[in-house]
Amino acid sequence: DLLRYPSDIFQFGESDWEAIAALPGWGPKSCKNLKESVQRVATNGVSLGRFIYSLGIRHVGKHSSELVASSYGTIDGFLNAIEAAANFTNDNDVVQETSATDEDCLEREKSDGSQRYPFPALQNKLGIGPVMIESLMEFSGSQNLVLAAKSLSESIRVLKQDIVTGEEETSSSSSMDTARPWKGLRVVFTGSLEGLTRGEAQKLAKLLGAKSTPGSVSKSTDLVVFGEKGGKKTGTSTNIGNFYSSSG
């Protein structure tokens, strides 16, 4: 067998590449493209997020891999967390306990060096839930998968990634909400809007966070933006108690 672990491809010699080219459906050109890709990764390295994604952990996609990477920052930090989870003895139901983020628990962990919860750095991470942590636990419990991950990390350069704390995530989320003042609203436009077509106005509303831009006013309407000759929609919005605003 040419490949036992993914890292083996980074150790290929010329005879190995010749064997790849001879495989059914391959040939010299396909083999050359693969070889160049391997050499490019070996030379330039990959981000920690891409490395984690390449491991094929269930429920850990591209975005989730970036979230995990931003919690550990380095390949050593991530692999150490995997090793610690492999030694975790409590049952998996503890993942779902709400007390996992309790400050007193975290302080006790720091003081006595113990780990009460698997992957403590992920317990209060936005976008990461118990299903993903359980998948990481399953991965950590497989010696072959962990060995393959370690071997791959030793064969290529895994680039450091900035660690994002919970406070920074909250700040980023707050900034996003400020930039999207119509988040979740159902917005109706009526009348002529100066400098904007109806379609442009609806697109702008979506950029500002609007949930939808229906064509008529109803009890579920949150906001009516009216311009010149707004017609019956303006009166309707007043009658059902919706907030409405002039375009000018």
Side-chain angles (χ1 to χ4, degrees), residues 120-187:
L122 303 179
Q123 290 294 334
N124 200 30
K125 188 78 171 180
L126 291 175
I128 293 181
V131 172
M132 192 185 306
I133 291 179
E134 184 176 351
S135 291
L136 288 165
M137 285 286 291
E138 290 176 359
F139 181 89
S140 70
S142 170
Q143 292 183 352
N144 285 336
L145 291 176
V146 173
L147 180 60
K150 288 182 178 180
S151 178
L152 183 60
S153 72
E154 293 168 357
S155 300
I156 60 175
R157 187 162 61 103
V158 182
L159 307 177
K160 292 182 179 180
Q161 205 150 323
D162 291 337
I163 293 179
V164 179
T165 64
E167 292 181 359
E168 290 172 329
E169 286 179 337
T170 302
S171 174
S172 174
S173 178
S174 298
S175 298
M176 183 177 294
D177 287 344
T178 302
R180 305 179 71 202
W182 291 358
K183 183 178 180 180
L185 300 182
R186 296 175 178 85
V187 182

Side-chain angles (χ1 to χ4, degrees), residues 84-121:
N87 297 324
F88 193 76
T89 56
N90 290 355
D91 62 44
N92 288 344
D93 290 339
V94 76
V95 176
Q96 301 182 31
E97 292 183 10
T98 56
S99 59
T101 58
D102 185 83
E103 292 182 2
D104 293 336
C105 293
L106 294 178
E107 287 300 321
R108 283 196 294 271
E109 287 178 21
K110 293 177 182 178
S111 62
D112 63 15
S114 65
Q115 180 176 310
R116 269 192 79 175
Y117 301 95
F119 301 100

Side-chain angles (χ1 to χ4, degrees), residues 189-192 198 224-235:
F189 291 92
T190 181
S192 300
R198 181 64 55 83
V224 177
V225 180
F226 63 89
E228 295 182 7
K229 300 178 181 179
K232 291 192 298 182
K233 290 180 183 177
T234 302

Side-chain angles (χ1 to χ4, degrees), residues 26-122:
W26 277 81
K29 185 175 181 180
S30 297
C31 180
K32 180 176 179 292
N33 291 337
L34 176 62
K35 183 178 180 181
E36 289 176 350
S37 296
V38 169
Q39 291 174 337
R40 185 163 55 250
V41 170
T43 301
N44 299 332
V46 296
S47 68
L48 179 58
R50 287 191 65 184
F51 177 88
I52 294 172
Y53 177 64
S54 74
L55 299 178
I57 304 173
R58 189 181 182 194
H59 300 305
V60 183
K62 287 184 178 180
H63 177 66
S64 303
S65 297
E66 294 297 330
L67 293 178
V68 175
S70 69
S71 297
Y72 294 106
T74 66
I75 184 60
D76 288 339
F78 172 70
L79 292 178
N80 288 340
I82 290 292
E83 283 190 0
N87 297 324
F88 193 76
T89 56
N90 290 355
D91 62 44
N92 288 344
D93 290 339
V94 76
V95 176
Q96 301 182 31
E97 292 183 10
T98 56
S99 59
T101 58
D102 185 83
E103 292 182 2
D104 293 336
C105 293
L106 294 178
E107 287 300 321
R108 283 196 294 271
E109 287 178 21
K110 293 177 182 178
S111 62
D112 63 15
S114 65
Q115 180 176 310
R116 269 192 79 175
Y117 301 95
F119 301 100
L122 303 179

Side-chain angles (χ1 to χ4, degrees), residues 210-221:
K211 181 178 182 180
S212 61
T213 55
S216 59
V217 175
S218 68
K219 290 184 179 181
S220 64
T221 302

